[in-house]
Amino acid sequence: MSFAGKYELQYQENFEPFMRALGLPEDQIQKGKDLKSISEIVQDGKKFTVTVTTGSKVVKNQFTIGEESELEMLNGEKVKAVVRMEGNNKLVTEVKGMKSVTELNGDTITYTMTMGDLTLKRVSKRI
């Protein structure tokens, strides 16, 4: 299954408490909570480039399934992580006590990030 395409954020749950837990300043959280974000995924076999544009902020991550890569987190911190594929429609990684799952179902991508008992859920549709 190919993840390739452009996706627009439809809705998100627990954005504010999750960003606070990550340590983002309140002004950034308030600015970011209502911005529509566009994710563009380019996939070449096991190589991925994921570009997320939210307002004027652009985060671009490149990784190869099963290999250690440097990824930029939502708070701007760069971390080393290995992205795994589960089945043919899930990308999973664990970083600094957080588990991130990106699941593709048809034209919808659901991005779930869990840290302790807090879960951020973002749902985007292909455009």
Side-chain angles (χ1 to χ4, degrees):
M1 186 176 285
S2 177
F3 283 80
K6 272 191 173 180
Y7 302 85
E8 182 177 26
L9 180 66
Q10 300 299 303
Y11 68 90
Q12 56 191 0
E13 298 168 4
N14 285 331
F15 178 80
E16 292 176 69
F18 198 89
M19 293 301 126
R20 283 188 196 106
L22 277 179
L24 253 66
E26 194 63 32
D27 62 323
Q28 281 187 353
I29 293 170
Q30 294 309 314
K31 260 196 296 195
K33 71 176 182 171
D34 296 322
L35 290 175
K36 283 290 181 204
S37 74
I38 303 288
S39 301
E40 183 174 7
I41 301 174
V42 177
Q43 181 180 355
D44 180 11
K46 291 184 169 199
K47 291 183 196 274
F48 284 76
T49 301
V50 179
T51 306
V52 179
T53 306
T54 307
S56 60
K57 182 171 170 55
V58 178
V59 175
K60 184 175 184 175
N61 283 313
Q62 294 178 299
F63 59 89
T64 301
I65 299 296
E67 294 181 14
E68 187 175 75
S69 307
E70 184 175 81
L71 303 175
E72 186 176 339
M73 294 178 42
L74 294 170
N75 61 1
E77 185 181 350
K78 297 199 188 275
V79 295
K80 298 261 188 216
V82 176
V83 180
R84 303 182 324 272
M85 179 82 79
E86 287 186 4
N88 64 352
N89 70 328
K90 271 189 196 174
L91 300 173
V92 179
T93 189
E94 292 186 48
V95 174
K96 296 190 131 199
M98 284 184 285
K99 182 174 183 178
S100 165
V101 178
T102 304
E103 184 172 5
L104 177 65
N105 284 309
D107 286 341
T108 303
I109 280 192
T110 303
Y111 173 75
T112 309
M113 206 166 192
T114 307
M115 179 171 55
D117 58 0
L118 202 52
T119 298
L120 167 68
K121 182 177 178 182
R122 299 173 57 122
V123 177
S124 298
K125 276 244 184 263
R126 192 183 302 262
I127 53 175

